[in-house]
Amino acid sequence: MFSRDVNVHDIDARHYVNLRRLLEPEYQAYRAGGGKALPLVVILERGKPIKAVRADRGRVPLADVRWYGPGAMERARQENGGAFLLAVELATARTALREIEERVRLEEDGVAQALHVARVLQAHAGNGIYLSPRVLGGVPVPSYEAVQRTFDLLYPDERSVVVYVFERGEIHASLIAAKRRGDITEITTHLALGG
Amino acid sequence: MSAPTVRLCRSGLDLCNGERLPLWSGALHYWRVRRDRWDAALAGVRDLGFGAVETYVPWGVHEVGPREFDFGEHDPQLDLGAFLGAAQGAGLKVIVRPGPHINAELTFLGYPERIVADPAMQAITARGTPAFLPLPPRAFPVPSYASTRFLEEAAGWLRAAARVVRPHLHPAGPVVAVQVDNECALFFRGGPYDLDYHPDAVAGFRTFLQERYHVVEALREAWRQEVDFATALPPREFGAKAAAELVPYLDWVAYKERYAARALGNLAAVLHDEGLGAVPLFHNLPPQDPAAAGLPEIERVLDLCGVDFHNVARDYERIRDRVLYLCGTAALPYAPELGAGAMLYGLAVRPEEQAQVILAVLMHGLRGANVYMAVERERWYGAPLGSDGSLREPLGPFLKRLGAALRETKLFELGRRTVIGVVVPPVYRRLATATQVLDAGPPMVLEMVNLGAAETCREDDFGLQGPVQIEQAQATRAVTRALDRAHLPYVIVDGAADPVKLAHCHVLVCPTFDLIDRDVLQELGYAAEAGVPLLWGPRRPSLDERLLPASAGLPGEPFLTPALLADPDALGAAFASLGLERPFAAREPEVDTTLFEGGAGAARVLFVGTRSPQPLTAHVPLAAGTRLRDLLGDEVLAVAGEGEVAVTLPAYGVRMFAVEAAAAGEVPRV
């Protein structure tokens, strides 16, 4: 889906940053001093919390962490505050890393590699990797072939996708992508058109 | 070894012909800029005020078949010699960075695919798997910098590149410095038990143990195990319960600080063989804790090791801490990459913010930088120049004004008085690293969300009086923040650095708990004997880095008491009572001022900056007859009599002023 030699050029800095802001509203709100608290990560060793950190806030004293076991993640998330709670058993993290690195291949497309990661994480979800809300649950991870076929149907070869976002008559963000032989081969912005 | 034709000096590079060149350069990738635009792009770099242009030389681009290279014989775009000639024609010196690793957002970070695909050259994780680096457009297994086979392949590439560069060395040509590899820090996978467990890395660990302990009895005493040098194994996960069991883990972390230095030393030897050692050879560490990546070790094999800064304005405090670390620890505080624009897959960076970052690093004492990128290129956005050399908003006009200010003030030739050295014994950070629970979390990524080693380590005390790996980091932070509030200039000295670094300090502050490294204890003892005030505490260390009884005690009584460390105002007042100079100290505690002086202590340049997330007005004392002229704008600040001036600052903002007499004559210090 992504050519290993994808040509990314003439990226208008303002357009690109504006686009990222549109795609990451929560993070941008946080950076601006608002938004919800960032995720709390609890590290477990044989079921017992040994470390808790909140992104950007640093270490959370273990005495301050509310933890009722993996069966009560939603309650723990609510009582600890924040939009997201992740708890990881140390031994599971090591196993998952090993499984990922055994499956990923150099010759694979980046999306195929990412799907391996998703499959491994999903296999351990609820069994050493606990999340609230349960974003890894429910939907099965599709095969790479199915993703590629869908991508090809939605976005045929030898075409370009052009995205412009306007605000008060001005171009706020732009992104142009070209596709060949199943892969995105070129990414640029309005700047490449002389803008 | 070639006789040097360029040497490092306090203000940058001494060209050994009576000329000194500030290390102020801009990056341009010749293979990514159309050859018919080289002259225009180089002219643009020169017109921004840079005296030098920097370029990577990409192995994976020049290699057209296994160990076959095209330097322009087939593709004129790859004519490195012609590019170096064009730079000389434009009146620019050149800094060359031939890798072997260059990153540059290239697929496989610039290595040929055959290198990363070869299992014999791949780094190996503690789990026995190849170590994949998940960077777009696709993850790939990283090479082992301990692998003899990899180092031989890299040597072959460096020899080929060096033969093109050598005729262009100063003084005949423009090349004045060469970087060896790039961000050599285990490819951002700095977890203690992640990698590298390649057989050659394990062999390197055993050699390291032999050099450290000399005799097997000393190894066994420290490890509390019946081991020997030929069979000792590196730990693959943390398992210590008591302090006495910590030493193998600490030794593995210390070895990993030396891992990069060993590889870089090998690669530098190749460049020396090829005659490139006539100019300074240096390295750049990634934007993460340079101590854990082994900066002091790297400076034992190269002339200089810098750190890259790819930050946003809100990183102000981290930027300050890092520059002060470089000021206190490195041969020259230098940024081989100072972000101007950004890659696409990191945090979205507004180039306007980067102007504040550039000013912040200069404010706190950086003595040189390579602005990366100066010229726009593929897989990058926000550079100050287009590939045709045209000026781009917002960084282009900013850097042009800054270049003029640097030329006018000769900033890099000025001095900054920093009489206090905050000494950090390495045993604490090594313990924090050895006890990481987020082992696979890249330190650089964790740092982006403000998680350092002391935030992500285990909280066990191992039978010591407390979790010293956390306590010591907290105490060091309390000390530096109190010095900031007291407006006292200081630097941070890594206890693993050359002891000569301590000689520059008139007061030493060393937060201590149960542990202290033998070398640090010895050097602090020498300094105290020489009459240098030594402020330590809250605990008197009783064990060394081998968890054996320390050979001596620190002199006197603790200065850094628990009560002082818990009270920032009281600690700041205690430091202020030392009676040290506080030039241009602002009224507001969250405002920093740094003064750069010319000969005879004449005030020349004053930076005013804030770590506040809100815009504010700072009040800076100013003597009668003195004025501050904004070097990047038009404002002139002065007072009628003795008093203070109001300096408006944006959030995390920095301003740069010339300190001038309203009438002719020298400027009094404040």
Side-chain angles (χ1 to χ4, degrees):
Chain A
M1 290 178 70
F2 276 95
S3 165
R4 50 165 275 184
D5 300 315
V6 59
N7 182 8
V8 185
H9 64 96
D10 290 303
I11 302 297
D12 183 302
R14 191 169 53 84
H15 290 191
Y16 181 70
V17 172
N18 286 341
L19 187 68
R20 289 282 298 270
R21 285 180 171 181
L22 291 170
L23 296 172
E24 304 163 346
E26 191 57 43
Y27 181 69
Q28 296 301 336
Y30 162 75
R31 283 192 66 191
K36 297 171 187 167
L38 288 180
L40 176 69
V41 179
V42 177
I43 304 295
L44 309 170
E45 193 167 45
R46 289 179 284 279
K48 184 182 163 201
I50 59 163
K51 193 80 202 177
V53 293
R54 196 182 289 286
D56 221 53
R57 296 282 187 271
R59 166 179 170 262
V60 180
L62 288 172
D64 296 346
V65 175
R66 301 280 173 268
W67 176 251
Y68 309 103
M73 287 290 287
E74 178 58 19
R75 181 183 170 197
R77 182 184 69 80
Q78 287 180 6
E79 293 188 15
N80 288 298
F84 199 81
L85 172 64
L86 167 65
V88 181
E89 183 66 48
L90 262 186
T92 307
R94 281 193 283 269
T95 304
L97 276 171
R98 179 176 50 75
E99 291 171 354
I100 289 167
E101 297 194 300
E102 282 172 349
R103 292 182 194 195
V104 171
R105 294 284 175 271
L106 170 65
E107 55 277 12
E108 288 176 320
D109 181 273
V111 174
Q113 294 174 330
L115 290 170
H116 288 310
V117 175
R119 265 181 225 111
V120 168
L121 294 180
Q122 193 177 54
H124 290 285
N127 185 23
I129 299 176
Y130 312 101
L131 293 142
S132 177
R134 291 183 59 215
V135 292
L136 289 175
V139 184
V141 178
S143 69
Y144 173 68
E145 291 69 26
V147 173
Q148 179 73 60
R149 275 199 305 276
T150 308
F151 184 58
D152 289 340
L153 282 171
L154 293 172
Y155 184 2
D157 280 354
E158 306 300 328
R159 306 282 176 89
S160 294
V161 166
V162 179
V163 178
Y164 275 74
V165 179
F166 292 88
E167 188 176 36
R168 297 188 186 93
E170 299 270 311
I171 303 173
H172 183 69
S174 65
L175 192 72
I176 301 168
K179 180 171 173 252
R180 281 187 183 158
R181 295 181 192 155
D183 286 340
I184 301 281
T185 54
E186 189 173 358
I187 297 173
T188 187
T189 64
H190 186 65
L191 198 60
L193 309 179
Chain B
M1 298 282 277
S2 317
T5 57
V6 180
R7 291 190 176 94
L8 278 183
C9 66
R10 199 176 144 266
S11 61
L13 297 177
D14 176 353
L15 302 184
C16 299
N17 58 2
E19 192 186 344
R20 292 187 174 211
L21 179 75
L23 263 172
W24 183 244
S25 61
L28 184 168
H29 292 171
Y30 61 91
W31 75 99
R32 283 166 151 165
V33 172
R34 272 176 22 204
R35 185 165 171 166
D36 63 356
R37 289 185 170 177
W38 283 357
D39 288 341
L42 288 163
V45 171
R46 184 194 56 218
D47 292 347
L48 277 186
F50 296 117
V53 63
E54 173 275 319
T55 186
Y56 276 128
V57 184
W59 181 3
V61 173
H62 284 279
E63 184 170 294
V64 291
R67 297 168 208 89
E68 285 177 36
F69 306 105
D70 177 8
F71 285 102
E73 296 84 356
H74 305 290
D75 181 354
Q77 192 67 48
L78 299 180
D79 193 338
L80 174 60
F83 175 75
L84 297 175
Q88 189 170 25
L92 290 164
K93 302 297 184 191
V94 183
I95 296 168
V96 174
R97 305 201 288 170
H101 167 214
I102 67 165
N103 192 335
E105 288 64 61
L106 286 170
T107 304
F108 312 136
L109 304 186
Y111 298 110
E113 184 168 355
R114 71 178 179 89
I115 297 294
V116 298
D118 186 340
M121 291 190 240
Q122 291 169 354
I124 297 174
T125 70
R127 303 165 292 280
T129 55
F132 275 80
L133 182 66
L135 283 184
R138 67 177 58 173
F140 68 93
V142 299
S144 165
Y145 269 59
S147 157
T148 305
R149 188 157 160 192
F150 168 75
L151 291 171
E152 284 170 359
E153 288 281 0
W157 154 248
L158 285 180
R159 284 188 197 285
R163 285 166 191 168
V164 179
V165 171
R166 189 172 50 203
H168 299 275
L169 286 180
H170 176 82
V175 177
V176 289
V178 175
Q179 182 178 297
V180 184
D181 206 62
N182 168 61
E183 300 191 346
C184 188
L186 292 162
F187 299 92
F188 319 118
R189 295 186 57 156
Y193 314 109
D194 190 15
L195 53 123
D196 180 10
Y197 294 84
H198 187 287
D200 294 345
V202 174
F205 177 55
R206 291 168 178 160
T207 304
F208 167 80
L209 293 176
Q210 193 135 24
E211 290 166 358
R212 194 171 179 83
Y213 291 102
H214 305 294
V215 294
V216 74
E217 291 76 17
L219 173 69
R220 289 173 180 167
E221 182 187 28
W223 277 38
R224 281 80 168 174
Q225 293 174 27
E226 284 300 305
V227 290
D228 58 60
F229 295 121
T231 57
L233 289 171
R236 287 177 182 257
E237 61 182 89
F238 186 76
K241 301 290 179 206
E245 300 167 11
L246 289 169
V247 182
Y249 306 95
L250 293 171
D251 280 347
W252 175 239
V253 169
Y255 163 67
K256 289 179 72 171
E257 289 176 19
R258 194 172 290 183
Y259 173 98
R262 279 174 185 263
L264 295 173
N266 268 323
L267 299 173
V270 174
L271 296 176
H272 275 289
D273 264 5
E274 295 295 330
L276 266 54
V279 301
L281 301 181
F282 69 98
H283 183 67
N284 63 324
L285 286 172
Q288 65 184 54
D289 179 10
L295 184 143
E297 293 287 348
I298 292 169
E299 287 206 336
R300 291 190 174 101
V301 298
L302 299 178
D303 297 301
L304 171 66
C305 183
V307 175
D308 295 343
F309 288 79
H310 291 283
N311 294 87
V312 292
R314 68 196 286 263
D315 298 336
Y316 177 93
E317 289 194 45
R318 193 183 314 147
I319 292 165
R320 180 184 56 192
D321 291 349
R322 192 138 300 159
V323 174
L324 294 178
Y325 173 88
L326 290 175
C327 290
T329 301
L332 185 78
Y334 174 56
E337 291 183 15
L338 176 56
M343 60 183 179
L344 272 80
Y345 44 81
L347 294 176
V349 177
R350 289 188 308 121
E352 299 90 314
E353 282 189 64
Q354 292 178 308
Q356 296 299 331
V357 173
I358 291 168
L359 287 174
V361 296
L362 295 175
M363 168 177 182
H364 293 292
L366 215 68
R367 311 298 293 180
N370 173 50
V371 171
Y372 189 91
M373 296 293 301
V375 178
E376 195 72 72
R377 49 96 163 161
E378 188 214 8
R379 301 188 183 184
W380 195 260
Y381 67 90
L385 295 172
S387 61
D388 58 356
S390 58
L391 215 55
R392 286 192 171 171
E393 293 279 358
L395 284 178
F398 164 76
L399 283 165
K400 192 159 188 165
R401 286 195 300 273
L402 180 61
L406 294 175
R407 274 197 308 280
E408 179 196 329
T409 60
K410 296 186 170 61
L411 180 72
F412 297 134
E413 293 179 22
L414 305 180
R416 183 174 175 228
R417 284 191 220 185
T418 47
V419 296
I420 299 175
V422 178
V423 183
V424 183
V427 66
Y428 294 102
R429 71 169 150 73
R430 286 180 184 149
L431 183 55
T433 302
T435 56
Q436 286 301 293
V437 292
L438 300 179
D439 190 29
M444 196 171 82
V445 174
L446 293 174
E447 192 176 283
M448 284 180 191
V449 288
N450 281 330
L451 296 175
E455 280 80 41
T456 53
C457 63
R458 288 173 185 265
E459 308 199 352
D460 312 40
D461 60 22
F462 305 105
L464 302 171
Q465 295 180 63
V468 297
Q469 67 277 22
I470 297 171
E471 291 176 318
Q472 200 276 345
Q474 289 173 335
T476 300
R477 185 172 170 80
V479 164
T480 54
R481 294 302 82 100
L483 290 169
D484 295 332
R485 290 166 75 95
H487 298 289
L488 286 165
Y490 64 94
V491 294
I492 298 169
V493 186
D494 190 327
D498 188 327
V500 75
K501 290 288 171 189
L502 296 178
H504 301 297
C505 306
H506 299 176
V507 176
L508 295 174
V509 185
C510 185
T512 53
F513 289 82
D514 304 46
L515 309 176
I516 194 158
D517 306 78
R518 295 170 182 213
D519 292 347
V520 176
L521 182 63
Q522 179 175 296
E523 294 304 327
L524 292 179
Y526 291 155
E529 280 173 28
V532 176
L534 174 60
L535 313 179
W536 57 273
R539 286 186 216 140
R540 186 182 295 277
S542 58
L543 297 168
D544 65 16
E545 72 273 27
R546 298 179 187 181
L547 280 300
L548 295 169
S551 58
L554 287 166
E557 294 301 315
F559 173 89
L560 302 169
T561 62
L564 273 184
L565 288 169
D567 183 343
D569 290 327
L571 186 55
F575 284 129
S577 71
L578 297 172
L580 301 169
E581 275 191 288
R582 304 190 304 150
F584 291 90
R587 199 197 303 168
E588 295 76 14
E590 67 271 42
V591 171
D592 299 330
T593 54
T594 61
L595 176 66
F596 291 82
E597 299 166 313
R604 295 289 186 207
V605 175
L606 179 73
F607 286 91
V608 183
T610 181
R611 52 194 176 277
S612 166
Q614 305 298 330
L616 58 76
T617 300
H619 297 86
V620 178
L622 200 61
T626 309
R627 65 180 194 172
L628 299 180
R629 178 170 54 86
D630 189 342
L631 283 158
L632 300 170
D634 301 323
E635 195 174 12
V636 177
L637 304 172
V639 286
E642 291 285 337
E644 54 187 24
V645 289
V647 180
T648 57
L649 293 166
Y652 306 111
V654 177
R655 292 182 67 184
M656 179 185 185
F657 296 99
V659 186
E660 297 175 335
E666 281 299 349
V667 175
R669 293 171 58 89
V670 176

